[in-house]
Amino acid sequence: MSIREVEISDESIRLGQFLKLAGLAEDGVHARALIEDGEVTVNGREETRRGKQLVHGDVIAVLGEKARLVSRAL
């Protein structure tokens, strides 16, 4: 399975925001539902906090799609 890279300009981003930015969720409501339903993992572990801070190198998976966070701020 390929992992696409999603670049941000800051050092970190909240999980809910990242899901929208990466196209893994349609909007904030969809992001919350995915997280609450246990469909989201961060670095292979289920994550239930929409406000979880993600940093460079984190790999987020949703329903078989994976995206890696890349920070330009580093």
Side-chain angles (χ1 to χ4, degrees):
M1 173 187 298
S2 65
I3 300 175
R4 61 190 164 93
E5 294 191 340
V6 178
E7 195 172 283
I8 63 168
S9 57
D10 295 323
E11 289 183 21
S12 66
I13 188 171
R14 288 190 178 103
L15 178 59
Q17 293 172 316
F18 181 82
L19 292 176
K20 293 182 291 184
L21 177 69
L24 297 171
E26 296 169 14
D27 54 32
V29 173
H30 186 219
R32 183 174 64 220
L34 288 168
I35 293 166
E36 287 176 355
D37 291 346
E39 301 290 350
V40 179
T41 63
V42 176
N43 301 323
R45 303 183 106 168
E46 183 180 323
E47 182 55 64
T48 58
R49 297 169 295 165
R50 189 171 45 150
K52 160 95 173 139
Q53 288 291 322
L54 304 176
V55 294
H56 179 83
D58 282 345
V59 175
I60 295 78
V62 179
L63 302 172
E65 289 189 65
K66 288 187 177 181
R68 176 181 290 119
L69 175 62
V70 178
S71 174
R72 285 191 307 224
L74 297 178

